[in-house]
Amino acid sequence: MVEKNSLKETIIQVTTELIEENDGKVDRITARVIATRANIGLGLINYHFGSKEKLIAICVQRIIGEVISNFDTTKVYLTDKERLTAWATHVFNFLFEHSAIAKISILSDLQNYTLKSNSAFTQYGFRNALTSTSDERDKAFLSFVLTAAMQVAFLGCETVKDLLGYDFEKVSDREAYIKKLVSTMLVNTERE
């Protein structure tokens, strides 16, 4: 008999694989497909997770968490501005390269913003890029603003294109947006 936690992890792993195989298009993934792939009864998905949607939200949170945990903390940057720009660019590119997953994550966080949400974890990650100050409130504020500006730009990319002229289909425009955003945020601060 499979342990309860092991079974839950198997279901999460299978669902994550299906999300990635379907390029984040979760409407293609049914509970029946998950159950068949995991070799379990259909009712176990609802039993362990409440619904397919809650299961998918858990999987998406883990996928995003992996991206956040993969910030290159070993690379040496001369300034907080360089470090924060590099890390934010990494995250922003992920949003567009995995837009379906990112949209699920951001919209889920907006509906249930908690300290354990992907948005909060992203903010914690960005705080670690700001090493030139010990003021945790400043770090928290800058990380919050950066994350929010990235999410709004991602969700409203067509409007941003019209308003600001950034075409986020182009990696160069994504990089330019993040560079401008971080530079604007850190102007006249000791963190540059």
Side-chain angles (χ1 to χ4, degrees):
M1 184 167 183
V2 179
E3 275 188 44
K4 185 177 179 179
N5 286 339
S6 176
L7 179 60
K8 283 179 76 171
E9 283 304 313
T10 299
I11 296 168
I12 290 169
Q13 181 180 357
V14 164
T15 305
T16 301
E17 290 169 3
L18 287 165
I19 291 169
E20 290 173 343
E21 286 172 17
N22 287 282
D23 196 28
K25 295 177 177 75
V26 296
D27 56 326
R28 295 180 183 170
I29 304 168
T30 65
R32 187 169 306 285
V33 168
I34 295 167
T36 299
R37 174 83 68 96
N39 200 26
I40 60 164
L42 185 59
L44 287 175
I45 292 171
N46 284 341
Y47 175 77
H48 286 293
F49 301 98
S51 69
K52 178 191 87 162
E53 290 72 22
K54 288 179 182 174
L55 168 59
I56 287 175
I58 290 168
C59 295
V60 167
Q61 185 165 3
R62 284 194 181 185
I63 293 167
I64 301 290
E66 286 292 316
V67 173
I68 296 164
S69 68
N70 285 329
F71 286 152
D72 187 358
T73 57
T74 61
K75 185 172 180 182
V76 177
Y77 296 94
L78 297 176
T79 65
D80 285 359
K81 183 177 174 180
E82 285 180 5
R83 185 178 311 101
L84 190 56
T85 300
W87 291 6
T89 300
H90 173 74
V91 171
F92 204 51
N93 282 331
F94 177 87
L95 296 179
F96 286 94
E97 291 164 3
H98 305 277
S99 61
I101 292 170
K103 188 173 184 181
I104 293 167
S105 175
I106 293 169
L107 293 176
S108 174
D109 286 358
L110 290 175
Q111 291 176 338
N112 188 28
Y113 182 63
T114 68
L115 294 176
K116 293 186 177 187
S117 66
N118 286 324
S119 297
F121 287 137
T122 301
Q123 292 162 29
Y124 292 134
F126 289 156
R127 286 168 83 164
N128 292 330
L130 301 169
T131 60
S132 297
T133 184
S134 59
D135 188 334
E136 290 301 317
R137 289 185 65 185
D138 280 352
K139 288 180 183 183
F141 180 79
L142 290 168
S143 299
F144 178 87
V145 170
L146 176 60
T147 303
M150 290 169 59
Q151 290 175 336
V152 169
F154 167 73
L155 291 173
C157 61
E158 289 303 315
T159 303
V160 170
K161 186 176 179 181
D162 293 338
L163 286 175
L164 303 177
Y166 291 101
D167 179 0
F168 294 138
E169 294 286 322
K170 300 176 185 173
V171 173
S172 61
D173 276 15
R174 288 184 230 150
E175 292 172 354
Y177 174 78
I178 294 299
K179 186 175 181 179
K180 175 79 171 182
L181 179 58
V182 170
S183 292
T184 301
M185 289 175 46
L186 296 181
V187 72
N188 297 325
T189 68
E190 298 173 356
R191 288 172 214 62
E192 286 192 75

